[in-house]
Amino acid sequence: IMATRWGLCGAGKISHDFSVAMKTLPPGDHQIAVIAARSLERAKEFAKKHGIPKAYGSYEELAKDPDIDVVYVGVLHTEHWRVGLLFLNAGKNVLCEKPFAMNARQVKELVAAAKKNNVFLMEAIWSRCFPVYSEVRRLLTEAAVGEVKLVKAYFGSPQLHIPRSVKKELGGGALLDIGVYCLQFILMVFNGERPKSIQATGVLLDSGLVDESVVVVMKFSGNRIAFCSFSIATRLPNDAIIAGTEGSIQVFGPMHCPTTLVVNNKETEYPLPEPSLSLNFTNSTGLRYEAEEVRQCLLKGLKQSPQMPLAHSVLLTEIMDEIRRQVGVVFNQDRH
């Protein structure tokens, strides 16, 4: 079996970390063949740093490249929809960074384009591919903590100094950047079920345009409840807890890329490989798991990942749209 040939779209921080994570996988399985950026200079610089053979100064060139198995989209939130459609309509398999797009309408358009072109599409919720998450799913299937009654998730990270996090035109706010991780965890525990009710309250930045801190309470069928809180103004415990009638599961922080799981007070470690270059984000070598998940899906001829099905991505975005509606965040993309 040939190595999966990757094209990277975007030469930013997350693409850097993704490339470093790829080096922890067998080169016979994965190969980054191309990097495309908006400027050829940036692409070449990135290619040199990561030993990538080819560099393009436009995304269109990457879309036309016949030698690529899958494109990793690591551009700004606001560009995911446009760039995602470019690759899907060019017949490319796509792994697109979260959030998939700015709202549910855009996400549904991406999903429709993938179906129409008969290609693989996955939202890069890398958390879902971590060993800790696989173990959580296994425990839930076995009802290891009895009947789940309550799920809690926290994610707070001081990011007010980062333009991408605070500017509306860059798709800023706590919800899209980090809240998405709390919500996807809850959806995973409740198996992609639509909540019966969603109550959200939050505070906006002084600019009044994007959310700074938000609390969400959701009720699910069978009297089950979920609570999450996220903020770009402060650090939170960043852990997640599943409380059942016969025990509890705790995912230690960082819950979005965890290496420690505690089940009924028994702790297990799932260490990550060491990076060969310094990373921009916590535990980024764990991006290797979603890369390998994509490879396995492609080998099986799947068009979506069972770990992060497209239906989960659609529901996740619909929930985020509703939270934004309640908190009062409107993006330009909502007005079309």
Side-chain angles (χ1 to χ4, degrees):
I1 295 161
M2 300 271 290
T4 302
R5 291 171 59 81
W6 291 80
L8 299 190
C9 170
K13 289 181 176 175
I14 192 71
S15 293
H16 167 90
D17 285 14
F18 190 78
S19 303
V20 175
M22 288 291 235
K23 292 221 167 43
T24 67
L25 291 164
D29 289 353
H30 295 268
Q31 187 189 0
I32 299 177
V34 186
I35 167 75
R38 277 176 307 192
S39 92
L40 184 57
E41 201 180 350
R42 273 199 80 185
K44 280 183 168 161
E45 197 181 312
F46 191 99
K48 192 176 161 195
K49 190 174 191 176
H50 294 280
I52 300 167
K54 223 188 305 187
Y56 292 137
S58 77
Y59 305 150
E60 286 71 21
E61 286 170 278
L62 177 55
K64 290 191 188 102
D65 190 324
D67 298 330
I68 299 300
D69 298 313
V70 56
V71 175
Y72 170 76
V73 175
V75 296
L76 272 174
H77 296 170
T78 45
E79 292 292 294
H80 289 178
W81 171 74
R82 184 182 69 79
V83 174
L85 285 180
L86 169 74
F87 292 120
L88 294 168
N89 289 328
K92 293 280 183 274
N93 298 308
V94 171
L95 172 66
C96 177
E97 257 316 325
K98 58 89 212 154
F100 226 167
M102 297 299 290
N103 55 35
R105 175 183 57 79
Q106 288 191 339
V107 169
K108 286 172 184 165
E109 284 183 21
L110 288 171
V111 171
K115 286 206 172 91
K116 187 184 86 183
N117 295 289
N118 195 30
V119 289
F120 174 87
L121 175 63
M122 177 183 175
E123 182 178 11
I125 303 275
W126 61 320
S127 321
R128 291 279 180 106
C129 305
F130 269 69
V132 166
Y133 274 62
S134 305
E135 183 59 12
V136 168
R137 285 192 292 268
R138 190 185 68 76
L139 292 164
L140 292 173
T141 309
E142 291 176 5
V145 291
E147 192 193 335
V148 173
K149 300 303 280 180
L150 180 78
V151 181
K152 290 195 294 187
Y154 302 91
F155 196 161
S157 159
Q159 297 178 183
L160 297 179
H161 58 288
I162 304 169
R164 180 180 69 76
S165 297
V166 298
K167 284 193 155 61
K168 188 172 97 162
E169 64 274 18
L170 300 180
L175 175 65
L176 259 65
D177 200 32
I178 58 179
V180 59
Y181 285 119
C182 298
L183 296 167
Q184 66 78 26
F185 182 82
I186 291 164
L187 283 189
M188 180 182 80
V189 175
F190 292 128
N191 225 355
E193 185 185 310
R194 188 176 292 276
K196 288 197 163 323
S197 70
I198 301 169
Q199 285 164 304
T201 185
V203 291
L204 305 185
L205 291 173
D206 291 339
S207 62
L209 298 174
V210 296
D211 51 303
E212 177 214 88
S213 304
V214 181
V215 172
V216 182
V217 181
M218 294 189 281
K219 200 150 61 169
F220 289 82
S221 65
N223 295 330
R224 298 170 304 164
I225 214 156
F227 167 93
C228 65
S229 165
F230 41 91
S231 172
I232 50 172
T234 180
R235 199 166 294 292
L236 289 171
N238 297 359
D239 61 349
I241 296 159
I242 302 167
T245 49
E246 289 163 40
S248 68
I249 298 169
Q250 184 179 11
V251 177
F252 269 23
M255 58 77 66
H256 69 298
C257 51
T259 55
T260 309
L261 185 66
V262 180
V263 184
N264 299 332
N265 302 321
K266 184 174 169 286
E267 189 173 310
T268 315
E269 288 287 335
Y270 298 81
L272 286 166
E274 285 300 307
S276 53
L277 292 169
S278 63
L279 298 166
N280 296 297
F281 304 106
T282 310
N283 289 354
S284 274
T285 48
L287 289 162
R288 72 201 298 265
Y289 301 122
E290 69 177 2
E292 182 55 25
E293 168 65 11
V294 171
R295 173 171 166 81
Q296 292 305 323
C297 288
L298 294 178
L299 290 175
K300 291 173 192 152
L302 300 177
K303 300 303 175 193
Q304 56 178 307
S305 160
Q307 317 275 32
M308 187 62 202
L310 294 172
H312 281 218
S313 290
V314 171
L315 178 57
L316 181 59
T317 322
E318 286 173 342
I319 291 170
M320 295 205 293
D321 284 0
E322 175 56 24
I323 291 167
R324 284 199 295 117
R325 191 188 67 75
Q326 292 186 26
V327 175
V329 174
V330 180
F331 292 117
N332 299 335
Q333 289 82 355
D334 300 330
R335 297 203 170 94
H336 297 305

